Amino acid sequence: AQKVTQAQTEISVVEKEDVTLDCVYETRDTTYYLFWYKQPPSGELVFLIRRNSFDEQNEISGRYSWNFQKSTSSFNFTITASQVVDSAVYFCALSGQAGTALIFGKGTTLSVSS
Amino acid sequence: DVKVTQSSRYLVKRTGEKVFLECVQDMDHENMFWYRQDPGLGLRLIYFSYDVKMKEKGDIPEGYSVSREKKERFSLILESASTNQTSMYLCASSSRDRGPSYEQYFGPGTRLTVT
């Protein structure tokens, strides 16, 4: 069975701190896809990144970076120099080879205070 | 830009009513999905559709049905609304042409309250 675990329910940081959101997944598929979504207070989920199982390169996009490690089945998300606008719920998700719908983790609520 | 719209942002219905939640996407996507989001449970898949008139059950289909008569529209139906169906409902769509698991684009959600 496929499963995504986000062990951190809530994280609170002060602006300019770095913060890492953890994501651990389980799957028996050899080909799979991992995603991160952001849900700001407005409610709409915003796509951040997709990673294929055969591409373990880490990725950086501005203040955001992602660390994908198949050996530990983890796909962690780091925000560098956090800002108040980063406050949101962040979801990690998994999709299998069959192309079925996403399996979501329960989300991590990030609060960044000024 | 991909646009997924949902018919209502907020909806209040009475127990036993039949409820229709509408979702429309404008990017000619083949795949459409309905999720519900509850605190502490994340998003859970109710139904999805890979083509017109096609539907597949997700993880929690009980109490729901769907309809996809046109490619751009995917409707979620609560046959007889109950209080435990009070939730946030999110619709999403994705393209099959770019691969089966490419990113899903989400609508703004409908917060349904059943009293």
Side-chain angles (χ1 to χ4, degrees):
Chain A
Q2 295 182 319
K3 186 179 178 181
V4 175
T5 301
Q6 294 180 255
Q8 304 149 309
T9 305
E10 295 182 14
I11 301 176
S12 294
V13 299
V14 179
E15 253 190 329
K16 300 184 183 177
E17 280 188 48
D18 298 346
V19 57
T20 295
L21 309 182
D22 297 333
C23 173
V24 174
Y25 62 92
E26 296 175 27
T27 181
R28 292 181 180 172
D29 291 337
T30 53
T31 300
Y32 52 89
Y33 302 81
L34 294 162
F35 303 78
W36 276 96
Y37 282 85
K38 173 183 180 180
Q39 187 179 40
S42 61
E44 188 165 339
L45 267 77
V46 177
F47 165 78
L48 295 178
I49 189 172
R50 178 194 67 253
R51 217 67 187 131
N52 306 325
S53 55
F54 41 87
D55 181 3
E56 283 194 75
Q57 266 193 325
N58 291 329
E59 184 155 337
I60 298 175
S61 176
R63 296 185 296 107
Y64 294 172
S65 62
W66 291 269
N67 183 1
F68 176 30
Q69 292 195 338
K70 287 179 77 170
S71 60
T72 57
S73 297
S74 65
F75 185 42
N76 296 337
F77 173 31
T78 297
I79 301 174
T80 303
S82 60
Q83 300 176 1
V84 172
V85 293
D86 295 326
S87 297
V89 182
Y90 290 87
F91 291 97
C92 181
L94 167 71
S95 181
Q97 186 174 8
T100 55
L102 297 175
I103 306 296
F104 282 87
K106 294 182 180 181
T108 298
T109 300
L110 173 65
S111 298
V112 182
S113 57
S114 57
Chain B
D1 281 350
V2 175
K3 190 74 171 177
V4 179
T5 57
Q6 295 182 228
S7 50
S8 305
R9 288 300 302 269
Y10 300 93
L11 208 54
V12 179
K13 294 292 182 181
R14 293 187 181 273
T15 302
E17 278 192 78
K18 190 169 186 176
V19 181
F20 293 86
L21 303 183
E22 305 286 343
C23 175
V24 177
Q25 49 93 6
D26 66 358
M27 284 303 293
D28 202 36
H29 284 171
E30 294 81 9
N31 309 326
M32 296 190 75
F33 308 85
W34 275 107
Y35 297 87
R36 67 176 278 177
Q37 181 179 6
D38 300 288
L41 297 178
L43 279 76
R44 294 177 293 166
L45 180 68
I46 305 172
Y47 268 97
F48 60 100
S49 169
Y50 284 156
D51 205 345
V52 176
K53 296 192 185 295
M54 176 273 176
K55 61 184 179 183
E56 294 283 346
K57 291 181 180 179
D59 299 321
I60 51 166
E62 297 78 20
Y64 303 95
S65 62
V66 290
S67 172
R68 192 158 181 209
E69 296 296 320
K70 293 184 177 181
K71 190 175 185 180
E72 68 271 16
R73 187 180 298 269
F74 192 35
S75 302
L76 179 69
I77 304 158
L78 286 65
E79 297 291 342
S80 178
S82 63
T83 54
N84 62 13
Q85 292 179 309
T86 292
S87 185
M88 170 72 91
Y89 291 88
L90 292 160
C91 174
S93 71
S94 69
S95 171
R96 190 169 62 217
D97 289 341
R98 296 182 64 198
S101 297
Y102 267 67
E103 59 266 26
Q104 294 181 16
Y105 295 88
F106 283 82
T110 296
R111 186 165 295 282
L112 172 67
T113 302
V114 182
T115 62

